[in-house]
Amino acid sequence: MGNWFHFLLHTPLQELDISRQKMIYISFHRLVYRDVYSITHDHLTTEDIIHDAFIKILTKNAKIRSQTNIQAWLKKITRNIALDHLRKSKRERQFLSNPFNYVVIHNDYYEKFNMTKEIEDKFKNNVLHQAILELKPEYQTVLILFYIHEKSYREISQELHLTESVLTQRLARARKKLLQQFSKKWHPMD
């Protein structure tokens, strides 16, 4: 088993033949699978994390100074990636379950307090939130990232693994659908 560590850490993967590359990945997979699965309790997520960890280790292997306890080092990196993944997933689930905690309506236009306007704004805000929640998840995500998190097109496209042109189209469609949903629901108080 120790033989594959040498190839993983000291030989560029592209220089190895396919069978040796496969052997290295399978050996790495066997080493870390149980640890990652015990954290995620999901096979597909475990596979994704192992793949990400393998890539990260390939890019960091030049920084290894000591050959002692490489197995523990590999497991630690993989475990840390799994924990990071879980933290990120938890934040996303919390945000998507109630993404509008971050929306605040400001009425700086008025010098004195206007109760009718405030009630109307709250109602409009609730209708808007309901309309967003009725959109497809991919539309919800781009709208929330752009308007609530105020991320740039570049940041969103990188985060969602989309080209900027695909993101532009998706955001335009999401806005159009949101307008349709909102218009069906919104009947201002007269």
Side-chain angles (χ1 to χ4, degrees):
M1 186 176 215
N3 195 17
W4 68 271
F5 290 135
H6 175 75
F7 289 112
L8 175 64
L9 302 175
H10 298 293
T11 309
L13 202 61
Q14 64 271 18
E15 290 180 12
L16 300 173
D17 60 72
I18 298 296
S19 63
R20 188 152 311 213
Q21 289 178 20
K22 191 173 184 177
M23 181 271 302
I24 291 170
Y25 186 79
I26 290 170
S27 298
F28 174 75
H29 188 278
R30 285 182 186 144
L31 175 70
V32 298
Y33 183 87
R34 284 186 189 169
D35 286 347
V36 177
Y37 188 81
S38 71
I39 294 169
T40 65
H41 304 289
D42 179 68
H43 174 71
L44 293 176
T45 304
T46 298
E47 292 295 328
D48 288 343
I49 290 168
I50 290 172
H51 181 264
D52 292 348
F54 188 74
I55 299 300
K56 185 171 187 172
I57 288 165
L58 286 175
T59 60
K60 297 227 181 243
N61 66 8
K63 296 177 183 169
I64 298 172
R65 295 206 171 114
S66 171
Q67 294 293 326
T68 59
N69 221 354
I70 291 176
Q71 204 169 4
W73 179 79
L74 293 170
K75 284 184 173 188
K76 183 177 180 179
I77 287 179
T78 307
R79 201 174 305 116
N80 288 343
I81 290 171
L83 293 171
D84 288 345
H85 177 81
L86 284 182
R87 280 190 286 272
K88 182 180 176 189
S89 293
K90 183 178 179 184
R91 278 193 311 266
E92 288 171 356
R93 278 193 309 273
Q94 286 173 344
F95 179 74
L96 289 176
S97 68
N98 197 0
F100 308 107
N101 288 337
Y102 309 103
V103 177
V104 178
I105 296 177
H106 296 282
N107 288 323
D108 297 335
Y109 308 116
Y110 301 101
E111 290 181 17
K112 65 182 198 172
F113 187 71
N114 185 339
M115 184 62 91
T116 307
K117 180 69 174 153
E118 184 178 335
I119 292 170
E120 187 176 308
D121 286 345
K122 284 184 179 182
F123 181 71
K124 188 188 301 183
N125 209 17
N126 286 337
V127 171
L128 178 62
H129 295 165
Q130 289 173 355
I132 289 174
L133 290 173
E134 291 175 5
L135 297 175
K136 292 181 187 178
E138 63 242 355
Y139 290 169
Q140 289 178 20
T141 303
V142 295
L143 288 169
I144 291 166
L145 290 173
F146 187 74
Y147 289 105
I148 296 174
H149 288 287
E150 299 178 347
K151 292 192 175 195
S152 69
Y153 276 57
R154 178 176 290 146
E155 291 170 324
I156 296 169
S157 62
Q158 288 173 349
E159 191 171 319
L160 299 178
H161 307 289
L162 301 170
T163 63
E164 285 189 38
S165 61
V166 169
L167 174 63
T168 303
Q169 287 179 333
R170 188 171 293 172
L171 197 52
R173 289 181 187 136
R175 287 184 189 119
K176 185 177 178 181
K177 286 288 189 185
L178 179 59
L179 180 60
Q180 290 170 354
Q181 292 290 85
F182 183 78
S183 296
K184 288 179 194 174
K185 296 176 171 300
W186 176 242
H187 303 290
M189 293 178 255
D190 296 321

